[in-house]
Amino acid sequence: MANRLAHETSPYLLQHADNPVDWWPWSAEAFEEARRRGVPVLLSVGYASCHWCHVMAHESFEDQETADRLNEHFVSVKVDREERPDVDAVYMEAVQAATGQGGWPMTVFLTPDAEPFYFGTYFPPEPRHGMPSFKQVLEGVRQAWTDRPDEVAEVAGKIVRDLAGREISYGDSQAPGEQELSQALLGLTREYDPQRGGFGGAPKFPPSMVIEFLLRHHARTGAEGALQMARDTCERMARGGIYDQLGGGFARYSVDRDWIVPHFEKMLYDNALLCRVYAHLWRATGSELARRVALETADFMVRELRTEQGGFASALDADSDDGAGRHVEGAYYAWTPGQLKDVLGEEDAELAARHFGVTEEGTFEHGSSVLQLPQQDGLFDAARIESIRSRLLRARDGRPAPGRDDKVVAAWNGLAIAALAETGAYFDRPDLVDAALAAADLLVRLHLDDQARIARTSKDGQVGANAGVLEDYADVAEGFLALASVTGEGVWLEFAGFLLDHVLTRFVDAGSGSLYDTAADAEQLIRRPQDPTDNAVPSGWTAAAGALLGYAAHTGSEPHRAAAERALGVVKALGPRVPRFIGWGLAAAEALLDGPREVAVVGTGPDDGAAKELHRTALLGTAPGAVVAFGSAGSDEFPLLAGRPLVDGEPAAYVCRGFTCDAPTTDPTRLRDALSG
């Protein structure tokens, strides 16, 4: 019999709807039930494509004996961290403070007042590797709750007080300058892995936001070391197993330092960020590898993540059926030499094994290998390799596919809109721009209410009940600003302005200029979450700073620019110390130091070929954070177009800072030079 989760829209919660556990969604009613019964709350947090969430579900939450204990002694609450990032952030902070580590599934025991008192992540069904079993944990918590209630209350109260005292040390109220950005670059150089690319050891995550900073820093200063770190890291990832050599797109992270074996889940946000990074790398270097990966990643998102309504689904699972009825991580992606031979025949299988690094011993599990591209391009006949790749992809399409989390997350769709709009514009792929427009239209129609407040998620055309958080407002505004620059449609600038007005009025602390992850009028948790550091995606704080700065460049709005500068004060404090974890803030600071530059391109109408060439040239400029307005002379579509006439009747481009412009040019080459240094 289905539990309460059967009425939810979250794919993750629905995965647990048939558990024998009497689950509740996060709600006031769940905590009131715990208060009425006098029992603690088990909070279990995860997400639909989480491998270890699936493991714990199969081992414990589908087990009747475990469920009976939970139902008798606890009120069990299941949360999708992607729907409620605020709940996840607050309790993950407590888990990390108490245990020194975090992850999902996250397992937290709470009082009926939502105060945490015991923490963990995955617990096995039997004691293992020094970990207690989940049943032992449940019994220990039950005994403590029953026999030592005063001790439990004291621990919970102390944790809440400690969390309340963890307000962000804002640092300087001024944005970082040249010195801080140089120190951040030096810090990244020290942590850089010159043999393998990337930063730090295993597990190794794609450093998308840091690469964006490195590309912008090189564009502004000419620092070759910054470009080399960006270029080499991108090449290593693109040639590694973390990149899907058949279907395009990136897995979540590499479990090793060499980018060989990924954790196979494929997230929308990673692919959106990396698509944009590779497009920007191509823009800076002309790299054919960067061009191919940007386009293949964009095509992957459209082909495999686009929903019927025009938005983009959150993720593909790491696990899939291995053909023998077992749910196995990586089964969809890995190959043995025998499987290559079955598809390709002996001669082409031998070539494929050499080209893609498939060995008899295997690079993954059970003698299978994750496809890589270890050989340099040009060693094998390109047409033959493409034929092999196509045949392997067709054969893989016949395997049981990983599950898809069809939930549309506003913030991640904002990142995808920016990536697809720019990639489509750079490579003359109007279909990608159309996909970005369709996703943006879905967000406006479904996620925005009549006051431009944004809902966090939707699924199957039904909007979710959870309010948007700061990253939703900021990343969607970023996507709309990119779309405005690419399409020349000022309505997207207007929508970005509506969202950023909410940031100014509901998320910014009026005294310090710091930002909170939830709005002032949002549900009150035990702590109002606030974190300026990047994780898998740009923090809401730094994403907001970048979007505010871009909007100010488009409109000349002093309040938006001032808010961006104040928000970037935290980058001045953290950038030199932890540059790997505030890359998006460093990238926004590069834009601020550069101006950012404002480009107005005016023409005679929509069919003006010379104006279109100037427009594309402007979009391909590498000046950090530059904004582009495109339209007919005399148009009021963008503030930047006001007072910018044709030059001797010819289309012209104006390059400005603070709405003060250099002499206009009608020559694309001169415009390119003006935006490349």
Side-chain angles (χ1 to χ4, degrees):
M1 184 180 204
N3 56 48
R4 294 173 189 83
L5 301 185
H7 304 293
E8 298 298 308
T9 58
S10 159
Y12 177 62
L13 299 188
L14 290 171
Q15 287 173 358
H16 295 266
D18 292 320
N19 291 170
V21 178
D22 187 20
W23 289 112
W24 293 69
W26 179 274
S27 60
E29 291 78 9
F31 288 94
E32 181 56 39
E33 175 68 6
R35 192 173 293 109
R36 184 187 69 79
R37 289 175 51 195
V39 297
V41 171
L42 164 71
L43 173 64
S44 177
V45 181
Y47 56 103
S49 57
C50 166
H51 171 71
W52 286 103
C53 300
H54 296 323
V55 171
M56 190 167 177
H58 296 322
E59 292 174 342
S60 294
F61 300 140
E62 295 173 6
D63 176 66
Q64 188 64 55
E65 182 183 349
T66 303
D68 289 343
R69 294 190 188 189
L70 283 168
N71 296 341
E72 181 178 358
H73 301 296
F74 301 88
V75 167
S76 300
V77 173
K78 179 63 75 172
V79 167
D80 182 341
R81 66 175 293 260
E82 296 171 352
E83 281 199 335
R84 291 301 302 263
D86 52 340
V87 172
D88 177 64
V90 165
Y91 293 103
M92 183 61 73
E93 186 175 12
V95 171
Q96 290 173 330
T99 68
Q101 60 186 9
W104 299 276
M106 177 168 61
T107 306
V108 186
F109 294 90
L110 314 175
T111 72
D113 293 323
E115 297 176 334
F117 63 90
Y118 189 79
F119 318 90
T121 52
Y122 164 79
F123 289 106
E126 304 295 338
R128 188 186 305 160
H129 306 305
M131 284 190 295
S133 73
F134 188 50
K135 291 174 185 175
Q136 288 174 324
V137 169
L138 294 180
E139 180 58 21
V141 170
R142 185 198 67 77
Q143 288 182 358
W145 181 263
T146 302
D147 300 339
R148 304 189 301 278
D150 292 343
E151 181 182 326
V152 169
E154 181 180 351
V155 169
K158 182 178 185 302
I159 291 169
V160 171
R161 289 192 298 274
D162 287 347
L163 290 175
R166 287 171 168 255
E167 290 296 316
I168 296 292
S169 176
Y170 188 70
D172 203 305
S173 61
Q174 295 181 335
E178 188 68 56
Q179 179 180 352
E180 289 80 18
L181 296 182
S182 296
Q183 289 174 335
L185 180 63
L186 180 61
L188 290 170
T189 303
R190 290 178 180 138
E191 296 188 67
Y192 181 66
D193 183 343
Q195 276 72 48
R196 306 168 184 86
F199 302 89
K204 217 168 207 176
F205 290 81
S208 310
M209 294 144 277
V210 167
I211 293 174
E212 187 66 35
F213 160 63
L214 293 172
L215 291 174
R216 289 187 179 191
H217 188 79
H218 170 260
R220 187 178 62 82
T221 68
E224 285 300 322
L227 180 61
Q228 181 177 345
M229 285 191 285
R231 182 176 54 222
D232 291 354
T233 296
C234 285
E235 177 160 354
R236 291 290 185 148
M237 290 191 299
R239 292 188 177 279
I242 193 173
Y243 184 68
D244 183 349
Q245 302 295 341
L246 298 183
F250 288 85
R252 179 70 195 90
Y253 61 84
S254 173
V255 301
D256 58 273
R257 299 181 64 180
D258 294 291
W259 308 106
I260 295 173
V261 179
H263 182 46
F264 290 90
E265 61 185 335
K266 294 169 85 169
M267 311 299 295
L268 173 61
Y269 53 72
D270 283 318
N271 284 284
L273 290 165
L274 286 164
C275 176
R276 202 177 187 192
V277 157
Y278 278 88
H280 289 174
L281 177 63
W282 171 83
R283 185 174 65 176
T285 66
S287 162
E288 179 56 33
L289 177 66
R291 178 185 184 277
R292 176 174 65 79
V293 171
L295 285 169
E296 287 178 357
T297 304
D299 286 336
F300 156 74
M301 287 192 287
V302 173
R303 182 183 67 249
E304 298 193 34
L305 294 179
R306 195 176 187 190
T307 69
E308 185 178 339
Q309 293 75 31
F312 290 92
S314 296
L316 299 180
D317 281 0
D319 304 357
S320 59
D321 193 304
D322 67 352
R326 294 169 299 194
H327 215 53
V328 176
E329 184 178 7
Y332 187 69
Y333 300 100
W335 294 82
T336 64
Q339 289 170 330
L340 294 181
K341 192 180 298 185
D342 289 343
V343 174
L344 302 171
E346 189 163 348
E347 187 175 343
D348 277 356
E350 182 181 340
L351 175 58
R354 282 187 287 139
H355 184 73
F356 289 118
V358 177
T359 67
E360 290 292 340
E361 300 79 13
T363 59
F364 183 44
E365 297 175 347
H366 311 299
S368 65
S369 295
V370 183
L371 302 190
Q372 305 170 66
L373 204 60
Q375 303 290 345
Q376 294 298 310
D377 297 333
L379 290 184
F380 302 111
D381 178 75
R384 188 175 174 193
I385 289 296
E386 182 54 34
S387 170
I388 287 171
R389 181 173 174 270
S390 297
R391 282 182 282 162
L392 290 176
L393 182 59
R394 283 197 302 272
R396 194 180 76 176
D397 287 343
R399 294 176 174 179
R404 189 173 85 164
D405 181 343
D406 283 332
K407 178 173 72 271
V408 172
V409 176
W412 307 348
N413 274 254
L415 297 175
I417 289 165
L420 292 170
E422 291 182 354
T423 303
Y426 297 169
F427 302 119
D428 194 23
R429 285 283 303 274
D431 59 309
L432 297 179
V433 179
D434 288 344
L437 282 165
D441 182 61
L442 175 71
L443 292 180
V444 170
R445 286 188 293 104
L446 193 60
H447 284 243
L448 292 187
D449 66 14
D450 57 4
Q451 295 180 310
R453 295 186 182 223
I454 196 165
R456 171 73 175 171
T457 62
S458 67
K459 184 178 180 291
D460 298 330
Q462 179 181 345
V463 68
N466 297 308
V469 295
L470 179 59
E471 70 167 0
D472 294 303
Y473 286 87
D475 289 338
V476 173
E478 174 80 14
F480 287 174
L481 290 172
L483 206 52
S485 287
V486 165
T487 64
E489 297 175 6
V491 65
W492 301 113
L493 179 63
E494 289 185 44
F495 279 124
F498 296 152
L499 295 171
L500 293 171
D501 284 345
H502 280 293
V503 171
L504 294 182
T505 57
R506 299 171 57 223
F507 292 87
V508 175
D509 183 275
S512 67
S514 62
L515 293 108
Y516 289 93
D517 292 327
T518 54
D521 53 356
E523 177 187 350
Q524 298 300 299
L525 304 174
I526 59 170
R527 165 176 165 76
R528 190 177 179 191
Q530 180 187 46
D531 187 357
T533 58
D534 299 331
N535 197 302
V537 293
S539 71
W541 185 318
T542 56
L548 287 164
L549 185 63
Y551 183 78
H554 260 296
T555 62
S557 169
E558 183 54 36
H560 290 82
R561 184 179 178 94
E565 291 180 358
R566 293 176 74 192
L568 288 174
V570 77
V571 182
K572 184 173 184 179
L574 297 180
R577 290 162 41 200
V578 288
R580 281 175 58 192
F581 303 102
I582 200 157
W584 201 260
L586 291 167
E590 287 289 345
L592 180 64
L593 280 186
D594 194 65
R597 274 174 262 193
E598 309 139 2
V599 188
V601 178
V602 293
T604 58
D607 298 323
D608 189 330
K612 289 180 179 178
E613 185 178 2
L614 286 172
H615 179 216
R616 186 169 185 271
T617 301
L619 294 172
L620 290 174
T622 57
V627 302
V628 179
F630 174 53
S632 299
S635 167
D636 60 359
E637 194 85 359
F638 292 92
L640 274 171
L641 299 180
R644 313 280 187 240
L646 302 174
V647 173
D648 297 328
E650 296 295 322
Y654 296 77
V655 179
C656 320
R657 285 186 175 94
F659 276 59
T660 299
C661 304
D662 298 333
T665 182
T666 60
D667 183 354
T669 301
R670 289 186 178 179
L671 176 59
R672 184 179 303 112
D673 292 343
L675 292 172
S676 61

